[in-house]
Amino acid sequence: MSAPQLSTDRAGSQRPKKAGLGEVILRAPKWLLSLILPVALLGIWQFVTTTGIVAPWSLPTPGAVIAAAGELLEGGDLGKHIGISTQRVLLGFAIGSLLGLVFGALVGLSKLADALLSLSIGALRAVPSLAWVPLLVLWMKMGEDSKVTLIIIGAFFPVFTTVSLALRHVDAQLVEAARAFGFKGLKLLRTVQLPAVVPAIFSGLRLALAQAWLFLVAAELLGASMGLGFLLTDSQNNGRIDRLILTIILLAIFGKITDALISLAERWAIRRWT
Amino acid sequence: MIMATAYALPHTDVAASTSTALDVNFANVSRTFSTKKESRTVLRDVNLHINAGEVVVILGASGCGKSTLLRSVSGLDAPSTGIVSTGAHQVDGINELCAVAFQEPRLLPWRSVRENIALGLAPKTEAGAGAALINELLELTGLTHAAELRPREISGGMAQRVSLARALARRPGVLLLDEPFGALDALTRMNMQDLLLSIHASFPTTVLMVTHDVDEALNLADRIVVLGRTEDAPGATVVEDLALNAAHPRSHSAEDFIAHRAHLLRLLGVDPANH
């Protein structure tokens, strides 16, 4: 699992004074520090389950979860569930963020579009994600469309909001300077406005991806025959708590990996475009 | 002057390829800014003719409409009444015959120095000619060594030279400078003034520059125009139009210089005895 290494979050701030315990610990490589808590949790988990402090029917041992994974892998089911979930997330994320980019640019650049669209989009945004599910299932049945549509809705808003806001706050002096040199319309957008909001686009994409996983599980919990969300409800119904925990861990891992990938891209974009 | 030699001009083709300098004419130019509550007259009946190739400095107190006058030439702003023209072209919308350098460098942070200068190239510039012109401008402004750096990696003075080079890349008939050295430290500002004079020598376009620095005006200008208010009416208009004939570099202890300086300071409401 390479995710912790890639996580970007705050670098340890350096204090000039005496080297306290915190500072000594901070000298260790960051990926090692990130692993301390998961490993400790795993240890505690192992301890409380093998000593019988927690009953196996409320929490299986780590070994049992790994066994469940092996069992599912062998049957080919796990690969299928993961594959279909990943496909839904990526498809919904791609379409949703593209739409978010287009509408965000429209609302951010055009006062007319802002006046016409902002209220409606804001109202749509206020609808809780789960409220869409019955309607989408009714309209599009249980197939892929309903799930991907829900994820599109989830991915759309973060990109839309960050892009429209960022475009409205592009340095007016830069825009004026470019206008003085005769740049206007699409050429102005391409030369000044879009490059100026590239970092914002990436932070919007990052939020959108997190939302996409969120909405995936919502969609799959409430009506699916495959996927990680389905595996959750299925395991709950069959009392397979080992599979339940396995699924939760898998969601954490995949969410973190995709987030780490996009944060790499984000860092590159910030270096390149600021 | 040290900088004049530091920026000793290579025999470039810049001058040869210059588009002709244009004259600028302001005919009864007034500008009133209106909001719902009030309207404020900034410029009133400005009549001014600037000859092609002249270096004209517009002096005035803060907020007197100097920049507004300059913006009416670039087309970033339009007068409420009156006509501004450059050469035979009557300004209406962005005026592509002129180029602007602002008080802030206003460079695109994601582009290198070279790419920022390229932004100023006229739209139909052929690629090879454009690249050659940029190389010449880099040399002219002493930026060749910094061509591939980003704006955040260079000093304020260098950034302002990039801004100047970007404006020159347009090969403007009129070069508009809106307090271009105002945000620089005193020493850098002096170097930039010398640079501007050498640029003008090899690139004899019309220069219209706004400043509130009397010494800068006296150093650079062929002609100083003072904008100010008269008691009877709102808005600023031309209150002095002073031709300077002294050759460059100008001695600050020359009699003319001192007399002009005192006169201009008084016009701007400053007691010359104290400065």
Side-chain angles (χ1 to χ4, degrees):
Chain A
M1 180 169 53
S2 58
Q5 278 163 277
L6 298 171
S7 78
T8 58
D9 332 270
R10 56 220 68 151
S13 61
Q14 271 149 27
R15 269 175 239 140
K17 278 188 244 159
K18 60 184 171 160
L21 180 62
E23 207 158 321
V24 173
I25 293 174
L26 272 176
R27 280 182 204 148
K30 211 164 140 254
W31 62 268
L32 195 65
L33 296 179
S34 316
L35 282 179
I36 292 176
L37 190 58
V39 170
L41 281 177
L42 196 64
I44 293 170
W45 179 13
Q46 177 74 28
F47 178 75
V48 298
T49 47
T50 46
T51 54
I53 297 174
V54 176
W57 43 262
S58 65
L59 184 64
T61 60
V65 172
I66 293 168
E71 179 198 340
L72 276 172
L73 266 177
E74 244 167 71
D77 282 351
L78 192 58
K80 212 169 58 190
H81 291 311
I82 292 173
I84 192 75
S85 284
T86 312
Q87 182 191 315
R88 286 166 184 162
V89 163
L90 292 184
L91 202 60
F93 169 67
I95 299 173
S97 43
L98 198 67
L99 286 174
L101 192 62
V102 171
F103 280 90
L106 217 58
V107 168
L109 289 173
S110 150
K111 286 196 177 121
L112 180 67
D114 184 22
L116 292 176
L117 294 175
S118 280
L119 177 72
S120 313
I121 293 182
L124 281 180
R125 182 182 196 180
V127 178
S129 56
L130 290 181
W132 294 109
V133 175
L135 186 66
L136 292 176
V137 169
L138 208 76
W139 278 349
M140 305 179 185
K141 308 292 177 269
M142 296 277 283
E144 285 306 291
D145 290 355
S146 61
K147 281 142 202 107
V148 173
T149 305
L150 189 67
I151 297 169
I152 290 174
I153 293 173
F156 173 83
F157 288 107
V159 178
F160 168 79
T161 312
T162 45
V163 170
S164 60
L165 277 180
L167 276 173
R168 231 170 281 168
H169 292 112
V170 172
D171 186 349
Q173 293 194 332
L174 280 188
V175 175
E176 188 189 65
R179 284 208 312 119
F181 282 101
F183 288 76
K184 57 189 171 203
L186 270 183
K187 203 170 165 216
L188 184 65
L189 180 70
R190 216 180 50 220
T191 317
V192 181
Q193 286 151 323
L194 266 191
V197 301
V198 165
I201 292 176
F202 273 91
S203 56
L205 287 178
R206 205 173 163 188
L207 289 171
L209 191 63
Q211 287 273 86
W213 282 103
L214 205 73
F215 279 54
L216 167 86
V217 174
E220 290 181 344
L221 270 180
L222 289 159
S225 53
M226 265 195 301
L228 291 171
F230 164 76
L231 195 57
L232 284 174
T233 36
D234 190 50
S235 309
Q236 183 198 16
N237 295 336
N238 296 325
R240 289 297 300 264
I241 194 158
D242 51 346
R243 289 187 179 180
L244 237 167
I245 288 177
L246 171 71
T247 314
I248 289 171
I249 293 174
L250 285 176
L251 283 169
I253 292 174
F254 283 111
K256 186 61 210 171
I257 288 176
T258 47
D259 181 63
L261 288 178
I262 211 160
S263 99
L264 268 184
E266 185 185 7
R267 269 188 289 170
W268 168 82
I270 288 173
R271 261 204 319 275
R272 172 67 185 81
W273 297 102
T274 53
Chain B
M1 290 238 157
I2 296 167
M3 288 320 289
T5 48
Y7 290 122
L9 298 173
H11 287 284
T12 62
D13 299 329
V14 176
S17 61
T18 305
S19 60
T20 37
L22 298 171
D23 62 336
V24 182
N25 196 59
F26 300 89
N28 295 315
V29 169
S30 299
R31 180 70 170 103
T32 302
F33 290 98
S34 305
T35 59
K36 278 174 199 160
K37 283 180 191 157
E38 53 174 355
S39 74
R40 197 167 56 90
T41 301
V42 172
L43 292 173
R44 171 175 53 84
D45 297 332
V46 175
N47 284 295
L48 188 62
H49 184 84
I50 291 159
N51 299 317
E54 239 179 348
V55 177
V56 174
V57 173
I58 300 173
L59 267 179
S62 290
C64 75
K66 308 184 293 281
S67 295
T68 308
L69 193 66
L70 212 61
R71 291 165 66 86
S72 73
V73 183
S74 64
L76 286 171
D77 190 49
S80 310
T81 58
I83 291 170
V84 180
S85 47
T86 52
H89 170 73
Q90 189 173 320
V91 180
D92 178 23
I94 297 298
N95 182 357
E96 306 222 10
L97 297 170
C98 55
V100 199
F102 301 89
Q103 180 171 2
E104 318 78 20
R106 304 198 187 183
L107 306 176
L108 300 182
W110 53 86
R111 287 186 170 213
S112 68
V113 164
R114 181 188 299 280
E115 291 163 338
N116 264 291
I117 297 175
L119 211 68
L121 290 173
K124 283 166 225 143
T125 311
E126 182 245 326
L133 177 61
I134 290 169
N135 282 332
E136 287 167 20
L137 288 169
L138 282 167
E139 193 148 334
L140 190 66
T141 47
L143 288 166
T144 305
H145 66 288
E148 311 311 327
L149 296 179
R150 295 282 194 85
R152 64 163 179 269
E153 298 170 312
I154 62 180
S155 69
M158 285 164 83
Q160 209 49 275
R161 299 209 302 264
V162 179
S163 166
L164 209 53
R166 179 179 63 185
L168 290 169
R170 177 56 46 113
R171 296 194 207 156
V174 184
L175 178 61
L176 303 171
L177 305 173
D178 190 355
E179 295 197 43
F181 314 140
L184 300 175
D185 66 84
L187 293 174
T188 311
R189 188 182 316 161
M190 290 183 220
N191 286 337
M192 291 293 286
Q193 290 169 4
D194 294 338
L195 172 64
L196 182 64
L197 286 177
S198 5
I199 285 175
H200 187 252
S202 72
F203 192 94
T205 180
T206 311
V207 177
L208 189 52
M209 172 170 169
V210 153
T211 183
H212 52 244
D213 181 337
V214 172
D215 290 321
E216 183 165 277
L218 286 165
N219 271 339
L220 297 175
D222 297 329
R223 206 171 131 198
I224 297 177
V225 172
V226 182
L227 286 184
R229 295 204 162 80
T230 52
E231 303 217 332
D232 50 327
T237 191
V238 177
V239 294
E240 175 64 285
D241 189 343
L242 185 67
L244 303 175
N245 303 316
H248 300 284
R250 289 175 179 162
S251 159
H252 290 214
S253 52
E255 238 169 79
D256 286 16
F257 192 100
I258 295 169
H260 286 321
R261 188 170 183 276
H263 172 60
L264 292 171
L265 283 173
R266 232 176 266 119
L267 271 176
L268 295 170
V270 177
D271 182 355
N274 298 332
H275 297 273

